[in-house]
Amino acid sequence: MGKSSKKALKRRHHTVPRLLLRRFADGEQTMRVPLDGGERRPVGVADVTVRRDFYSIRDENGQLDDTVEDLLSDLENAAAKIIRQIVDGLWPLPIEERAVMAEWIAAQHARIPAARAANNEIADHLGKMLIAIGGKPEIRRRLEADAKEPVSDEKVEALWQELTDFDGYYTEVSVNEHMTLMARSMKTAYEVFMARAWGLIKFERRTLLLPDHPVTLMRGEDIPSFRGVGIGNAAAILVPIDRRVAIMMASSRHGDFVVRTHTKLAKELNQRFADNARKELFHHPDDNPLDGVELHPVRDREIVISQPPEAFMMADGPSDVFKRVMSDVPEPPPGALPPRFDGR
C-alpha cells in the first residue's frame, strides 16, 4: 500500500519558541523554576511551555488546521539566524534584520497564553454585563426571535436564573477568533517596535532569566499605578534573547544604542523578568540568575475589573433614564470597531 500524502498535524505547540529556550539551555536541557513552589530541576526543552493544539484553527469543514504553527516556525527560523548574529557582535541591526526581529518579538508578545487569557476574561465579563443590564426583557426578545410560539414567563425566568449564576460558567472566545486577534496584535506591535529605538544589553559574566512570557513592559515613572501599561506607553520594552543578551526598546527620540552593563542592572532585569512570568521561569543549568530575585506566586488573572456584573443587575431591563443616557452617546464612526469574525 502507498503512503498517505496527507501531512501529519503538529499538535504540541510551544508558547515560548524552542529557539529561545535553547539559548537558556545546556544542549537540550534547561533549568525550570516553577512559581507554585515546586522543585527547580532541569527539563527537556522539547517538553516545556507545550500546549496541545494551542494555535490550531478549525477550517470550513471543522477540521484542525496547523497553518499558524507553520507560519510561526518559519518566522522563528528566520529570527534564529539573526539572534546568532547579534550574540556574535552584530549591532545595530540593518533594516531588514531589524524588521524580522520586530516581527518575531511581536509574535512573542501576541502568542502568549496571557494574551488569550485576557481576551477570554474580557469576553466573559462583557457577556455577563450585557445579560445583567438587558435583564429579562432582553432574554425574552432573544428567545422570541427564534421561537415559533409564545415564550412563557416560566421559561424566561428559568433562563434568567441560569444566566445570572455568573460563577457557574465561563465564556471563552474561539481559537479562530483568538488567531485573528493575535494577527491584529502582531501588526500593531510590529509598527510600534519598528518606531522605537533599540538598545543592546550584553553581559560578559552575568546571566539572565527567561520568563514564560518573554516580552516585558516597564512602567514609566509618570504612569500612575491604576493605569495599565501597554506597548504604546511603556517606558521601555525588554526581551531576553540569550542567557547573556537582551534587547531594550526605548523612546523613539533616541537612536539605537548599547547599554552599559553591571551587576546591579543584571539583578534589576532578572527581577523584572521574574515579575513578568505567569507560571515558570527558565535559566541555563550552570547559571544562578535568581540570586537576589524575589519570586511571586502563579498569576491566574490578567484583567483587574473593579465592578462585577452583579453590580449592574437590572432584572426588569434598563430604566428609561438609562436608555436616554445611552442614546446620547454618539455612535462610533465607520471602521472604528473591528468586523465580526465568524469563528468556527
Side-chain angles (χ1 to χ4, degrees), residues 116-271:
R116 181 169 300 188
N119 289 334
N120 283 336
E121 289 169 20
I122 291 170
D124 180 70
H125 182 75
L126 289 180
K128 291 171 179 175
M129 283 281 291
L130 290 174
I131 291 169
I133 294 172
K136 297 177 188 177
E138 179 63 15
I139 289 179
R140 178 179 293 279
R141 186 188 70 81
R142 289 179 178 270
L143 287 174
E144 290 177 345
D146 297 325
K148 296 182 179 180
E149 56 187 27
V151 177
S152 67
D153 293 343
E154 291 76 15
K155 187 171 185 178
V156 171
E157 180 65 30
L159 189 54
W160 169 254
Q161 293 299 326
E162 178 182 347
L163 292 178
T164 54
D165 178 18
F166 295 136
D167 292 333
Y169 64 96
Y170 185 74
T171 302
E172 295 187 351
V173 179
S174 72
V175 175
N176 283 38
E177 187 156 2
H178 277 303
M179 292 301 97
T180 299
L181 294 170
M182 187 176 87
R184 292 174 183 163
S185 176
M186 283 181 61
K187 181 178 184 298
T188 300
Y190 171 82
E191 293 170 353
V192 171
F193 296 163
M194 287 296 287
R196 281 181 173 256
W198 288 32
L200 178 67
I201 305 174
K202 190 172 185 179
F203 294 93
E204 293 297 327
R205 290 178 296 174
R206 300 295 173 180
T207 55
L208 299 172
L209 288 165
L210 173 66
D212 54 7
H213 288 54
V215 181
T216 298
L217 308 181
M218 290 178 58
R219 178 184 296 275
E221 295 180 356
D222 59 335
I223 300 178
S225 59
F226 61 83
R227 287 189 58 188
V229 179
I231 58 173
N233 67 346
I237 299 169
L238 302 167
V239 188
I241 61 171
D242 182 81
R243 62 192 283 216
R244 289 190 172 91
V245 182
I247 290 174
M248 171 187 284
M249 299 180 190
S251 168
S252 59
R253 293 192 299 271
H254 307 284
D256 287 356
F257 55 97
V258 175
V259 177
R260 179 177 173 271
T261 57
H262 46 81
T263 299
K264 184 178 179 181
L265 176 62
K267 289 185 177 181
E268 180 182 351
L269 291 177
N270 283 328
Q271 184 63 65

Side-chain angles (χ1 to χ4, degrees), residues 33-187:
V33 182
L35 298 181
D36 62 1
E39 179 187 3
R40 303 175 187 178
R41 61 185 181 87
V43 293
V45 165
D47 298 320
V48 293
T49 74
V50 173
R51 298 203 180 189
R52 186 174 175 85
D53 298 326
F54 194 67
Y55 305 111
S56 294
I57 60 174
R58 295 280 177 180
D59 64 19
E60 61 276 8
N61 298 315
Q63 300 300 309
L64 285 175
D65 184 327
D66 61 0
T67 299
V68 173
E69 175 68 8
D70 287 340
L71 293 173
L72 290 171
S73 296
D74 292 342
L75 181 56
E76 289 158 18
N77 291 334
K81 177 181 178 181
I82 300 170
I83 291 174
R84 288 194 296 270
Q85 292 175 324
I86 294 172
V87 173
D88 290 341
L90 176 64
W91 198 264
L93 292 177
I95 188 63
E96 291 185 3
E97 284 77 4
R98 179 188 176 103
V100 171
M101 286 299 294
E103 186 177 2
W104 178 75
I105 295 172
Q108 308 324 302
H109 176 67
R111 69 186 287 177
I112 53 176
R116 181 169 300 188
N119 289 334
N120 283 336
E121 289 169 20
I122 291 170
D124 180 70
H125 182 75
L126 289 180
K128 291 171 179 175
M129 283 281 291
L130 290 174
I131 291 169
I133 294 172
K136 297 177 188 177
E138 179 63 15
I139 289 179
R140 178 179 293 279
R141 186 188 70 81
R142 289 179 178 270
L143 287 174
E144 290 177 345
D146 297 325
K148 296 182 179 180
E149 56 187 27
V151 177
S152 67
D153 293 343
E154 291 76 15
K155 187 171 185 178
V156 171
E157 180 65 30
L159 189 54
W160 169 254
Q161 293 299 326
E162 178 182 347
L163 292 178
T164 54
D165 178 18
F166 295 136
D167 292 333
Y169 64 96
Y170 185 74
T171 302
E172 295 187 351
V173 179
S174 72
V175 175
N176 283 38
E177 187 156 2
H178 277 303
M179 292 301 97
T180 299
L181 294 170
M182 187 176 87
R184 292 174 183 163
S185 176
M186 283 181 61
K187 181 178 184 298

Side-chain angles (χ1 to χ4, degrees), residues 262-313:
H262 46 81
T263 299
K264 184 178 179 181
L265 176 62
K267 289 185 177 181
E268 180 182 351
L269 291 177
N270 283 328
Q271 184 63 65
R272 290 186 182 276
F273 293 147
D275 291 343
N276 200 51
R278 268 56 173 187
K279 293 183 178 180
E280 54 195 353
L281 293 154
F282 306 95
H283 65 79
H284 191 285
D286 295 339
D287 299 341
N288 184 29
L290 288 167
D291 184 29
V293 173
E294 181 180 350
L295 301 181
H296 62 74
V298 170
R299 190 189 308 182
D300 56 7
R301 289 285 299 180
E302 293 298 322
I303 304 296
V304 177
I305 299 173
S306 60
Q307 295 293 329
E310 289 87 348
F312 299 88
M313 199 79 78

